[in-house]
Amino acid sequence: MSGLEREQWSSSLGFILASVGSAVGIGNIWRFPYIVGANGGGAFLIPYLVSVLFFGIPLMVLELAIGRSTGTSIVSAFRSIQQRFTVAGLAIVAVTALVLGYYLVITSWVLAYAFFFILGMPVEFGTFTDSYLPLVFFLISGLAVYITVRSGVKEGIERISRYLIPILIVILLFLVVISLTEPGAAEGIEFYLSPDFSKLTDPGVWIAAFGQTFFSLSVGMGVMLTFGSYLGKERLFKSAGIIAGADMLIAVLAGFMIFPLVFTAGLDPASGVNLAFITLPSAFAKIQYGMLLGALFFLMLFAAALTSAVSMFEVPTATLMDSYGYTRKHAALFVFAAIMLVGLPSALSYTPLNLELLGMPFLDVADYAFGTIGLIVAGLILCIVGGWFMNRDRICDEIGGCGWQQKAYMALIRYGVPAVLLITLIGSFFPGAG
Ligand code: PFF
């Protein structure tokens, strides 16, 4: 981009909203509440808070610091630290693109369900995935993400979050209020939050907290690094604290809307795909104004997923621009084509084709391989390259000097965060954990 000024966020608020847009996604609304319910209820908030404060926020600050200090996206940032880390940067971009591939498929189902509820005719998940309709919505969602990123940092990524995040919060608060007045509210909250402190000695619960933190805060994949490269004078710890706080608040609130509805409808709480596309739709079918509430729920979930997908899409786009000289328009078009291809097997795994790998739908395998294992490995690479090989003074410059706090922070990045990522990685190989 020689000769051209690098784009910057238009304001602090714009940056915060875009980052909250990235962090708040499917992970907050359908993953977090269930993990809480299944891992000690209210007691789970302790490991989660520890994990966000000591591992999630530090990694986010590291990414922002590398991005702002090098003024470029992950591959050229890594190259500027040491030539040989170029490949490591490319590996992280690949993981991000692969995660986006299947994340976009789920985003597109959410969009489809929003349509169905708006039209007042919800379709069963089995019927939906027994058609090729999912492919149409996959294309539409891909186009929405592409058009946003193509429009630029300010006009695209920042703008969409400025609209969608406030709308998301209003809908969520409305749904929480409605849910809490449903007859099953007490039972739902009891399942969700009643604390079981004995779970705190279970390592699986801690591993679940770590895994959820990294996924939910969108750290470890170069998204925050890329966002940091568009950043002006911002206090990084403060920004990261606000982003993480908003992410957690929205996740906790999501539980207050979900479980009262599930218990009011007399259903069993489920996780993931089943919760959003089977359990909740049948709950909406049973309660008053269910169609309207369902439409609002899926619109909210779509807003959350879309802004997260946009942030992932920016990583390969910025890479093509910064490291390979593409214009934003060409880069975005190239990434759009690549993501459609990479996501296609996942999209096809929930159509009559039932594409499988190792006896599981391809999408589920992609979620495990890239969204769980890949994400942790990418986070480890980031910590090692940033913590061990980047000039420490450059990081200190970004985080306000080199006092004892910054030294403690560097120790956390060099030893603490990698250790926790390793533990999470090992835990992720055992079923039932993470
Ligand atoms: N944070 C998003 C969620 O909670 O759904 C998912 C995500 C977005 C993960 C961007 C990683 C990422 F780089």
Side-chain angles (χ1 to χ4, degrees), residues 27 73 77 87 91 100 127 135 181 189 198 204 228 246 252 292 298 354 378 382 387 393 412:
S73 51
V87 183
L100 176 57
T127 315
L135 295 185
T181 56
I189 302 300
S198 69
V252 171
L292 173 67
F298 282 105
N354 285 326
L382 248 161
D393 295 340
L412 204 54

Side-chain angles (χ1 to χ4, degrees), residues 22-28 103 215-218 221 223 308 311-312 375:
S22 174
V24 173
I26 290 167
N28 298 61
Y103 196 90
F215 187 81
S216 186
L217 291 182
S218 305
M221 306 224 300
V223 169
S308 298
S311 74
M312 284 188 251
L375 182 79

Side-chain angles (χ1 to χ4, degrees), residues 39-231:
N39 285 288
F44 180 80
L45 297 180
I46 297 172
Y48 190 69
L49 200 63
V50 169
S51 164
V52 168
L53 284 178
F54 291 98
F55 311 111
I57 292 180
L59 188 50
M60 186 184 292
V61 168
L62 178 75
E63 284 201 40
L64 292 172
I66 301 176
R68 185 165 67 181
S69 166
T70 57
T72 186
S73 51
I74 188 153
V75 173
S76 20
F78 274 22
R79 185 186 294 146
S80 78
I81 295 172
Q82 267 185 31
Q83 180 78 27
R84 61 182 168 144
F85 292 134
T86 310
V87 183
L90 285 169
I92 296 182
V93 175
V95 170
T96 309
L98 290 162
V99 172
L100 176 57
Y102 80 82
Y103 196 90
L104 199 58
V105 175
I106 303 175
T107 307
S108 69
W109 297 345
V110 173
L111 178 64
Y113 268 64
F115 266 108
F116 299 153
F117 272 92
I118 289 170
L119 296 177
M121 37 185 212
V123 177
E124 275 191 17
F125 192 61
T127 315
F128 174 58
T129 53
D130 211 11
S131 73
Y132 285 98
L133 204 53
L135 295 185
V136 177
F137 283 96
F138 180 52
L139 183 66
I140 299 174
S141 307
L143 280 171
V145 177
Y146 158 64
I147 291 168
T148 307
V149 174
R150 182 183 190 274
S151 309
V153 176
K154 270 197 218 92
E155 294 298 314
I157 303 173
E158 186 180 320
R159 189 190 232 171
I160 198 174
S161 298
R162 271 182 192 273
Y163 287 113
L164 293 185
I165 297 302
I167 293 178
L168 182 154
I169 292 173
V170 170
I171 297 182
L172 179 60
L173 289 175
F174 175 74
L175 291 176
V176 168
V177 171
I178 300 281
S179 296
L180 290 179
T181 56
E182 296 286 341
E187 206 189 337
I189 302 300
E190 161 99 27
F191 169 80
Y192 180 34
L193 288 181
S194 71
D196 174 1
F197 289 102
S198 69
K199 288 263 192 186
L200 295 186
T201 52
D202 176 356
V205 168
W206 286 84
I207 288 170
F210 298 144
Q212 176 65 15
T213 301
F214 295 116
F215 187 81
S216 186
L217 291 182
S218 305
V219 291
M221 306 224 300
V223 169
M224 297 315 290
L225 191 155
T226 309
F227 277 18
S229 72
Y230 308 129
L231 204 54

